[in-house]
Amino acid sequence: VFGLSAVSGTIISDNYITNESLDVVVNTPANVDVHLNDLVGKRVGVQTLNAGTANATLNFWGCAKGPGARGCTTVSGNGVLSTPFSSKEF
């Protein structure tokens, strides 16, 4: 998600994202909702850049233990809310 000005009201939901180094990248000075996704890429599930924030709760991060656990995708950047998370794929 990219925007020079705040892109508000954006919802990323119900996706199966795999084989990506960065599953979701937020680069807009607004909050983006990222929910009910399978974030099973190779490294980062949700990354924020600059002033962007992400409410990334209720996602499956590639394993039952949640973001950052061994075998799971991670969170990168500031302003990412990732708990609670799903322990099962959708």
Coordinates of all heavy atoms in Angstrom, one line a residue:
V1 N 0.9 -1.2 0.0 CA 0.0 0.0 0.0 C 0.9 1.2 0.0 O 1.7 1.4 0.9 CB -0.9 0.0 1.2 CG1 -1.8 1.2 1.2 CG2 -1.7 -1.2 1.3
F2 N 0.8 2.1 -1.0 CA 1.6 3.3 -1.1 C 0.7 4.5 -1.3 O -0.2 4.4 -2.1 CB 2.6 3.1 -2.2 CG 3.4 4.4 -2.5 CD1 4.5 4.7 -1.7 CD2 3.1 5.2 -3.5 CE1 5.2 5.9 -1.9 CE2 3.8 6.4 -3.7 CZ 4.8 6.7 -2.9
G3 N 1.0 5.6 -0.7 CA 0.3 6.8 -0.9 C 1.1 8.0 -0.5 O 1.7 8.0 0.6
L4 N 1.2 9.0 -1.3 CA 1.9 10.2 -0.9 C 1.2 11.0 0.2 O 1.8 11.6 1.1 CB 2.1 11.2 -2.1 CG 3.0 10.6 -3.2 CD1 3.0 11.5 -4.4 CD2 4.4 10.3 -2.7
S5 N -0.1 10.9 0.2 CA -0.9 11.5 1.3 C -1.6 10.3 2.0 O -1.5 9.1 1.5 CB -2.0 12.4 0.8 OG -2.8 11.8 -0.1
A6 N -2.2 10.5 3.1 CA -2.9 9.4 3.8 C -3.9 8.7 3.0 O -4.8 9.3 2.5 CB -3.5 10.0 5.1
V7 N -3.7 7.4 2.9 CA -4.7 6.5 2.2 C -5.5 5.9 3.3 O -5.1 4.9 3.9 CB -4.0 5.5 1.3 CG1 -5.0 4.6 0.6 CG2 -3.1 6.2 0.3
S8 N -6.6 6.5 3.7 CA -7.3 6.0 4.9 C -8.4 5.0 4.5 O -8.9 5.0 3.3 CB -7.9 7.1 5.7 OG -8.8 7.9 4.9
G9 N -8.8 4.2 5.4 CA -9.9 3.2 5.1 C -9.5 2.0 4.4 O -10.3 1.2 4.0
T10 N -8.2 1.7 4.2 CA -7.7 0.6 3.5 C -7.8 -0.7 4.4 O -7.3 -0.7 5.5 CB -6.3 0.8 3.0 OG1 -6.2 1.9 2.2 CG2 -5.8 -0.4 2.2
I11 N -8.4 -1.8 3.8 CA -8.5 -3.0 4.5 C -7.9 -4.1 3.6 O -8.3 -4.2 2.4 CB -10.0 -3.4 4.8 CG1 -10.6 -2.3 5.7 CG2 -10.0 -4.8 5.5 CD1 -12.0 -2.5 6.0
I12 N -7.0 -4.9 4.1 CA -6.4 -6.0 3.4 C -6.8 -7.2 4.1 O -6.4 -7.4 5.3 CB -4.8 -5.9 3.3 CG1 -4.4 -4.6 2.6 CG2 -4.3 -7.1 2.7 CD1 -3.0 -4.3 2.7
S13 N -7.7 -8.0 3.5 CA -8.3 -9.1 4.3 C -8.5 -10.3 3.4 O -8.8 -10.2 2.2 CB -9.7 -8.7 4.8 OG -10.3 -9.7 5.5
D14 N -8.5 -11.5 4.0 CA -8.8 -12.8 3.4 C -7.9 -13.1 2.2 O -8.4 -13.5 1.1 CB -10.3 -12.8 2.9 CG -10.8 -14.2 2.7 OD1 -10.4 -15.1 3.3 OD2 -11.8 -14.3 1.9
N15 N -6.6 -13.0 2.4 CA -5.6 -13.3 1.3 C -4.7 -14.4 1.8 O -4.5 -14.6 3.0 CB -4.8 -12.1 1.0 CG -5.6 -11.0 0.4 OD1 -6.0 -11.0 -0.7 ND2 -5.9 -10.0 1.2
Y16 N -4.2 -15.2 0.8 CA -3.2 -16.2 1.1 C -1.9 -15.7 0.4 O -1.9 -15.7 -0.9 CB -3.6 -17.6 0.5 CG -2.7 -18.7 0.9 CD1 -2.8 -19.4 2.1 CD2 -1.7 -19.1 0.1 CE1 -1.9 -20.4 2.5 CE2 -0.8 -20.1 0.4 CZ -0.9 -20.7 1.6 OH -0.1 -21.7 1.9
I17 N -1.0 -15.2 1.1 CA 0.2 -14.6 0.5 C 1.4 -15.6 0.8 O 1.8 -15.8 2.0 CB 0.5 -13.2 1.1 CG1 -0.8 -12.3 0.8 CG2 1.7 -12.6 0.4 CD1 -0.7 -11.0 1.5
T18 N 2.1 -16.0 -0.3 CA 3.2 -17.0 -0.1 C 4.3 -16.6 -1.1 O 4.1 -15.9 -2.1 CB 2.7 -18.4 -0.3 OG1 3.7 -19.3 0.0 CG2 2.2 -18.6 -1.7
N19 N 5.5 -17.2 -0.8 CA 6.6 -17.0 -1.7 C 7.0 -15.6 -1.9 O 7.5 -15.2 -3.0 CB 6.4 -17.7 -3.1 CG 6.3 -19.2 -2.9 OD1 6.9 -19.8 -2.1 ND2 5.4 -19.8 -3.7
E20 N 6.8 -14.7 -1.0 CA 7.2 -13.3 -1.0 C 8.2 -13.0 0.1 O 8.0 -13.6 1.2 CB 6.0 -12.4 -0.9 CG 5.0 -12.5 -2.0 CD 5.4 -12.1 -3.3 OE1 6.4 -11.3 -3.4 OE2 4.9 -12.5 -4.3
S21 N 9.2 -12.2 -0.1 CA 10.0 -11.8 1.0 C 9.3 -10.8 2.0 O 9.5 -10.8 3.2 CB 11.3 -11.1 0.5 OG 12.1 -12.0 -0.2
L22 N 8.4 -10.0 1.4 CA 7.6 -9.0 2.1 C 6.2 -9.2 1.7 O 5.8 -8.9 0.6 CB 8.1 -7.6 1.8 CG 9.5 -7.2 2.1 CD1 9.9 -5.9 1.4 CD2 9.8 -7.2 3.6
D23 N 5.4 -9.7 2.6 CA 4.0 -10.1 2.3 C 3.1 -8.8 2.1 O 2.5 -8.6 1.1 CB 3.4 -11.0 3.4 CG 4.0 -12.3 3.4 OD1 4.7 -12.7 2.5 OD2 3.8 -13.0 4.4
V24 N 3.1 -7.9 3.1 CA 2.4 -6.7 3.1 C 3.3 -5.6 3.5 O 3.9 -5.6 4.6 CB 1.1 -6.7 4.0 CG1 0.4 -5.4 4.0 CG2 0.2 -7.9 3.6
V25 N 3.4 -4.5 2.7 CA 4.2 -3.3 3.1 C 3.3 -2.1 3.1 O 2.6 -1.9 2.1 CB 5.4 -3.1 2.1 CG1 6.2 -1.9 2.4 CG2 6.3 -4.4 2.0
V26 N 3.3 -1.4 4.2 CA 2.5 -0.2 4.3 C 3.4 1.0 4.2 O 4.3 1.2 5.1 CB 1.8 -0.2 5.7 CG1 1.0 1.1 5.9 CG2 0.8 -1.4 5.8
N27 N 3.2 1.8 3.2 CA 4.0 3.0 3.0 C 3.1 4.2 2.7 O 3.1 4.8 1.7 CB 5.0 2.8 1.9 CG 6.0 4.0 1.8 OD1 6.1 4.8 2.7 ND2 6.6 4.1 0.6
T28 N 2.2 4.5 3.7 CA 1.3 5.6 3.6 C 1.2 6.2 5.1 O 1.2 5.4 6.0 CB -0.1 5.2 3.0 OG1 -0.9 6.4 3.0 CG2 -0.7 4.1 3.8
P29 N 1.1 7.5 5.2 CA 1.0 8.0 6.6 C -0.4 7.9 7.2 O -1.1 8.8 7.6 CB 1.4 9.5 6.4 CG 1.0 9.8 5.0 CD 1.2 8.5 4.2
A30 N -0.9 6.6 7.2 CA -2.3 6.3 7.7 C -2.2 4.9 8.3 O -1.3 4.2 8.1 CB -3.3 6.4 6.6
N31 N -3.3 4.6 9.0 CA -3.4 3.2 9.5 C -4.1 2.3 8.5 O -5.1 2.7 7.9 CB -4.2 3.2 10.8 CG -4.3 1.8 11.4 OD1 -3.2 1.3 11.8 ND2 -5.4 1.2 11.5
V32 N -3.5 1.2 8.3 CA -4.1 0.2 7.3 C -4.5 -1.0 8.2 O -3.7 -1.5 9.0 CB -3.0 -0.2 6.3 CG1 -3.5 -1.3 5.4 CG2 -2.7 1.0 5.4
D33 N -5.7 -1.6 7.9 CA -6.1 -2.8 8.6 C -5.8 -4.0 7.8 O -6.1 -4.1 6.6 CB -7.7 -2.7 8.8 CG -8.1 -1.7 9.8 OD1 -7.5 -1.7 10.9 OD2 -9.0 -0.9 9.5
V34 N -5.1 -5.0 8.4 CA -4.6 -6.2 7.8 C -5.1 -7.3 8.6 O -4.5 -7.6 9.7 CB -3.1 -6.2 7.6 CG1 -2.6 -7.5 6.9 CG2 -2.6 -5.0 7.0
H35 N -6.2 -8.0 8.2 CA -6.8 -9.0 9.1 C -7.2 -10.3 8.3 O -7.5 -10.2 7.1 CB -8.1 -8.5 9.7 CG -8.0 -7.2 10.5 ND1 -7.3 -7.1 11.6 CD2 -8.5 -6.0 10.2 CE1 -7.3 -5.9 12.1 NE2 -8.1 -5.2 11.2
L36 N -7.2 -11.4 9.0 CA -7.7 -12.7 8.4 C -7.0 -13.1 7.2 O -7.6 -13.7 6.3 CB -9.3 -12.6 8.2 CG -10.1 -12.1 9.4 CD1 -11.5 -11.9 8.9 CD2 -10.0 -13.1 10.5
N37 N -5.7 -12.9 7.2 CA -4.8 -13.3 6.1 C -3.9 -14.4 6.5 O -3.6 -14.6 7.7 CB -3.9 -12.1 5.6 CG -4.8 -11.0 5.1 OD1 -5.3 -11.0 4.0 ND2 -4.8 -9.9 5.9
D38 N -3.5 -15.3 5.5 CA -2.5 -16.2 5.7 C -1.2 -15.6 5.2 O -1.0 -15.5 4.0 CB -2.7 -17.5 5.0 CG -3.9 -18.3 5.6 OD1 -4.0 -18.3 6.8 OD2 -4.7 -18.9 4.8
L39 N -0.3 -15.2 6.1 CA 0.9 -14.5 5.8 C 2.1 -15.5 5.9 O 2.8 -15.6 6.9 CB 1.2 -13.3 6.7 CG 0.0 -12.3 6.8 CD1 0.3 -11.3 7.9 CD2 -0.1 -11.6 5.4
V40 N 2.2 -16.3 4.8 CA 3.1 -17.4 4.8 C 4.3 -17.3 3.8 O 4.8 -18.2 3.2 CB 2.4 -18.8 4.6 CG1 1.5 -19.1 5.8 CG2 1.6 -18.7 3.3
G41 N 4.7 -16.0 3.6 CA 5.8 -15.7 2.8 C 7.1 -16.3 3.4 O 7.1 -17.0 4.3
K42 N 8.2 -15.8 2.9 CA 9.5 -16.3 3.3 C 10.1 -15.6 4.6 O 10.8 -16.2 5.3 CB 10.5 -16.2 2.2 CG 10.1 -17.0 1.0 CD 11.1 -16.8 -0.1 CE 10.7 -17.6 -1.4 NZ 11.5 -17.5 -2.5
R43 N 9.7 -14.3 4.8 CA 10.4 -13.6 5.9 C 9.5 -12.7 6.7 O 9.2 -12.9 7.8 CB 11.6 -12.8 5.4 CG 12.7 -13.6 4.9 CD 13.9 -12.8 4.5 NE 13.9 -11.4 5.0 CZ 14.3 -10.4 4.4 NH1 15.0 -10.5 3.3 NH2 14.2 -9.2 4.8
V44 N 9.0 -11.6 6.1 CA 8.3 -10.5 6.8 C 6.8 -10.6 6.4 O 6.5 -10.5 5.2 CB 8.9 -9.1 6.5 CG1 8.0 -8.1 7.1 CG2 10.3 -9.1 6.9
G45 N 5.9 -10.7 7.4 CA 4.5 -10.8 7.1 C 4.0 -9.4 6.9 O 3.2 -9.1 5.9
V46 N 4.3 -8.4 7.8 CA 3.8 -7.0 7.7 C 5.0 -6.1 8.0 O 5.6 -6.3 9.0 CB 2.6 -6.7 8.6 CG1 2.2 -5.3 8.5 CG2 1.4 -7.6 8.2
Q47 N 5.2 -5.2 7.1 CA 6.3 -4.2 7.3 C 5.7 -2.8 7.1 O 4.9 -2.5 6.2 CB 7.4 -4.3 6.3 CG 8.5 -3.3 6.5 CD 9.6 -3.5 5.5 OE1 9.4 -3.8 4.3 NE2 10.9 -3.3 6.0
T48 N 6.0 -1.9 8.0 CA 5.6 -0.5 7.9 C 6.9 0.4 7.5 O 8.0 0.1 8.0 CB 5.0 0.1 9.2 OG1 5.9 0.0 10.3 CG2 3.7 -0.6 9.4
L49 N 6.7 1.4 6.7 CA 7.7 2.3 6.4 C 7.3 3.7 6.7 O 6.1 4.0 6.7 CB 8.0 2.3 4.8 CG 8.4 0.9 4.3 CD1 8.5 1.0 2.8 CD2 9.7 0.4 4.9
N50 N 8.2 4.6 7.1 CA 7.9 6.0 7.4 C 6.9 6.1 8.5 O 7.0 5.5 9.5 CB 7.5 6.7 6.1 CG 8.6 6.6 5.0 OD1 9.8 6.7 5.4 ND2 8.2 6.4 3.8
A51 N 5.8 6.8 8.3 CA 4.8 7.0 9.3 C 3.6 6.1 9.3 O 2.7 6.2 10.0 CB 4.3 8.5 9.2
G52 N 3.7 5.1 8.4 CA 2.6 4.1 8.3 C 2.4 3.3 9.5 O 3.4 2.9 10.2
T53 N 1.2 2.9 9.8 CA 0.9 1.9 10.9 C 0.0 0.9 10.4 O -0.7 1.1 9.4 CB 0.2 2.6 12.1 OG1 -1.0 3.2 11.7 CG2 1.2 3.7 12.7
A54 N 0.0 -0.3 11.1 CA -0.9 -1.4 10.6 C -1.5 -2.1 11.8 O -0.8 -2.5 12.7 CB -0.1 -2.4 9.8
N55 N -2.8 -2.3 11.8 CA -3.5 -3.1 12.7 C -3.6 -4.5 12.0 O -4.4 -4.7 11.2 CB -4.9 -2.6 13.0 CG -5.7 -3.4 14.0 OD1 -5.2 -4.5 14.3 ND2 -6.8 -2.9 14.4
A56 N -2.6 -5.3 12.4 CA -2.4 -6.6 11.7 C -2.8 -7.8 12.7 O -2.1 -8.8 12.8 CB -1.0 -6.8 11.2
T57 N -3.9 -7.6 13.3 CA -4.4 -8.7 14.2 C -5.2 -9.7 13.5 O -5.7 -9.5 12.4 CB -5.3 -8.1 15.4 OG1 -6.4 -7.4 14.8 CG2 -4.5 -7.1 16.2
L58 N -5.3 -10.9 14.1 CA -6.1 -12.0 13.6 C -5.6 -12.6 12.3 O -6.4 -13.1 11.5 CB -7.6 -11.6 13.5 CG -8.2 -11.1 14.8 CD1 -9.6 -10.6 14.6 CD2 -8.1 -12.1 15.9
N59 N -4.3 -12.5 12.0 CA -3.7 -13.1 10.9 C -3.0 -14.4 11.3 O -2.6 -14.6 12.4 CB -2.6 -12.2 10.2 CG -3.3 -11.0 9.6 OD1 -4.1 -11.1 8.7 ND2 -2.9 -9.8 10.1
F60 N -2.8 -15.3 10.3 CA -2.0 -16.5 10.5 C -0.6 -16.2 10.0 O -0.5 -15.8 8.8 CB -2.6 -17.7 9.8 CG -1.8 -19.0 9.9 CD1 -1.6 -19.6 11.1 CD2 -1.1 -19.5 8.8 CE1 -0.8 -20.8 11.2 CE2 -0.3 -20.6 8.9 CZ -0.2 -21.3 10.1
W61 N 0.4 -16.4 10.8 CA 1.8 -15.9 10.4 C 2.7 -17.1 10.0 O 3.9 -17.0 10.0 CB 2.4 -15.2 11.6 CG 1.6 -14.0 11.9 CD1 0.5 -13.9 12.7 CD2 1.9 -12.6 11.5 NE1 0.1 -12.6 12.8 CE2 1.0 -11.8 12.1 CE3 3.0 -12.1 10.8 CZ2 1.0 -10.4 11.9 CZ3 3.0 -10.7 10.6 CH2 2.0 -9.9 11.1
G62 N 2.1 -18.2 9.6 CA 2.9 -19.3 9.0 C 3.2 -20.4 10.0 O 3.7 -21.5 9.7
C63 N 2.9 -20.2 11.3 CA 2.9 -21.3 12.3 C 2.0 -20.9 13.5 O 1.6 -19.7 13.6 CB 4.4 -21.5 12.8 SG 5.0 -20.2 13.8
A64 N 1.8 -21.8 14.3 CA 0.8 -21.6 15.4 C 1.3 -20.7 16.5 O 0.5 -20.2 17.3 CB 0.5 -23.0 16.0
K65 N 2.6 -20.4 16.6 CA 3.1 -19.6 17.7 C 3.1 -18.1 17.4 O 3.5 -17.3 18.3 CB 4.5 -20.0 18.1 CG 4.5 -21.4 18.6 CD 5.8 -21.9 19.1 CE 5.7 -23.3 19.7 NZ 7.0 -23.7 20.2
G66 N 2.8 -17.7 16.2 CA 2.6 -16.2 15.9 C 3.9 -15.5 15.4 O 4.9 -16.1 15.3
P67 N 3.7 -14.3 15.1 CA 4.8 -13.5 14.4 C 6.1 -13.5 15.2 O 6.1 -13.3 16.4 CB 4.2 -12.1 14.3 CG 3.1 -12.0 15.3 CD 2.6 -13.4 15.5
G68 N 7.2 -13.8 14.4 CA 8.5 -13.8 15.0 C 8.9 -15.1 15.6 O 10.1 -15.3 15.9
A69 N 8.0 -16.1 15.8 CA 8.4 -17.4 16.3 C 9.1 -18.1 15.2 O 9.0 -17.9 14.0 CB 7.2 -18.1 16.8
R70 N 9.9 -19.1 15.6 CA 10.7 -19.9 14.7 C 9.7 -20.6 13.6 O 8.7 -21.2 14.0 CB 11.4 -21.0 15.4 CG 12.3 -21.8 14.5 CD 13.1 -22.9 15.2 NE 13.9 -23.6 14.3 CZ 15.2 -23.7 14.5 NH1 15.8 -23.2 15.5 NH2 15.9 -24.4 13.6
G71 N 10.0 -20.3 12.4 CA 9.1 -20.9 11.3 C 8.0 -20.0 10.9 O 7.3 -20.2 9.9
C72 N 7.8 -18.9 11.6 CA 6.7 -17.9 11.3 C 7.3 -16.7 10.6 O 8.5 -16.4 10.7 CB 6.1 -17.4 12.6 SG 5.0 -18.5 13.4
T73 N 6.5 -16.0 9.9 CA 6.9 -14.7 9.3 C 7.0 -13.7 10.5 O 6.5 -13.9 11.6 CB 5.9 -14.2 8.2 OG1 4.6 -14.1 8.8 CG2 6.0 -15.0 7.0
T74 N 7.6 -12.5 10.3 CA 7.8 -11.6 11.3 C 7.1 -10.2 11.0 O 6.5 -10.1 10.0 CB 9.3 -11.3 11.5 OG1 9.8 -10.7 10.2 CG2 10.1 -12.5 11.7
V75 N 7.3 -9.3 11.9 CA 6.8 -7.9 11.8 C 8.1 -7.1 11.7 O 9.1 -7.3 12.3 CB 6.0 -7.5 13.0 CG1 5.8 -6.0 13.1 CG2 4.7 -8.3 13.1
S76 N 8.0 -6.0 10.8 CA 9.2 -5.1 10.7 C 8.6 -3.7 10.6 O 7.6 -3.4 10.1 CB 9.9 -5.4 9.3 OG 10.9 -4.5 9.1
G77 N 9.4 -2.8 11.3 CA 9.0 -1.4 11.3 C 8.2 -1.1 12.6 O 8.1 -1.9 13.5
N78 N 7.8 0.2 12.7 CA 7.1 0.6 13.9 C 5.6 0.7 13.7 O 5.2 0.8 12.5 CB 7.6 2.1 14.3 CG 9.0 2.1 14.6 OD1 9.5 1.2 15.4 ND2 9.8 3.0 14.1
G79 N 4.9 0.6 14.7 CA 3.4 0.8 14.6 C 2.6 -0.4 14.1 O 1.6 -0.2 13.4
V80 N 3.1 -1.6 14.3 CA 2.4 -2.8 13.8 C 1.8 -3.5 15.0 O 2.6 -4.0 15.9 CB 3.3 -3.8 13.0 CG1 2.5 -5.0 12.6 CG2 3.9 -3.1 11.8
L81 N 0.5 -3.6 15.1 CA -0.2 -4.4 16.1 C -0.4 -5.7 15.6 O -1.2 -5.9 14.6 CB -1.5 -3.7 16.5 CG -2.3 -4.3 17.6 CD1 -1.6 -4.4 18.9 CD2 -3.6 -3.6 17.8
S82 N 0.1 -6.8 16.2 CA 0.0 -8.1 15.6 C -0.6 -9.2 16.5 O -0.8 -10.3 16.1 CB 1.4 -8.6 15.2 OG 2.2 -8.7 16.3
T83 N -1.0 -8.8 17.7 CA -1.7 -9.7 18.6 C -3.1 -9.2 19.0 O -3.2 -8.0 19.1 CB -0.9 -10.0 19.9 OG1 -0.6 -8.8 20.5 CG2 0.4 -10.7 19.6
P84 N -4.1 -10.0 19.1 CA -4.0 -11.5 18.9 C -3.9 -11.9 17.5 O -4.2 -11.2 16.6 CB -5.4 -11.9 19.5 CG -6.3 -10.8 19.2 CD -5.4 -9.5 19.3
F85 N -3.4 -13.2 17.3 CA -3.2 -13.8 16.0 C -3.9 -15.1 15.9 O -4.3 -15.6 17.0 CB -1.7 -13.9 15.7 CG -0.9 -14.8 16.8 CD1 -0.9 -16.1 16.7 CD2 -0.3 -14.1 17.8 CE1 -0.3 -16.9 17.7 CE2 0.4 -14.9 18.8 CZ 0.4 -16.3 18.7
S86 N -4.0 -15.6 14.7 CA -4.6 -16.9 14.5 C -3.6 -18.0 14.6 O -2.5 -17.8 14.0 CB -5.4 -17.0 13.2 OG -5.9 -18.3 13.0
S87 N -3.8 -19.1 15.2 CA -2.9 -20.2 15.3 C -3.2 -21.2 14.2 O -2.4 -22.2 14.1 CB -3.0 -20.9 16.7 OG -4.3 -21.4 16.9
K88 N -4.2 -21.0 13.3 CA -4.5 -21.9 12.2 C -4.7 -21.1 10.9 O -5.1 -19.9 11.0 CB -5.8 -22.6 12.5 CG -5.8 -23.5 13.7 CD -7.0 -24.3 13.9 CE -8.1 -23.5 14.5 NZ -9.3 -24.2 14.7
E89 N -4.4 -21.8 9.8 CA -4.7 -21.2 8.5 C -6.2 -20.9 8.3 O -7.0 -21.6 8.9 CB -4.2 -22.1 7.4 CG -2.7 -22.1 7.3 CD -2.2 -22.8 6.1 OE1 -2.7 -22.6 5.0 OE2 -1.3 -23.6 6.2
F90 N -6.5 -20.0 7.5 CA -7.9 -19.7 7.2 C -8.4 -20.5 6.0 O -8.0 -20.8 5.1 CB -8.1 -18.2 6.9 CG -7.9 -17.4 8.2 CD1 -6.7 -16.7 8.4 CD2 -8.8 -17.4 9.2 CE1 -6.5 -15.9 9.5 CE2 -8.6 -16.6 10.3 CZ -7.5 -15.9 10.5

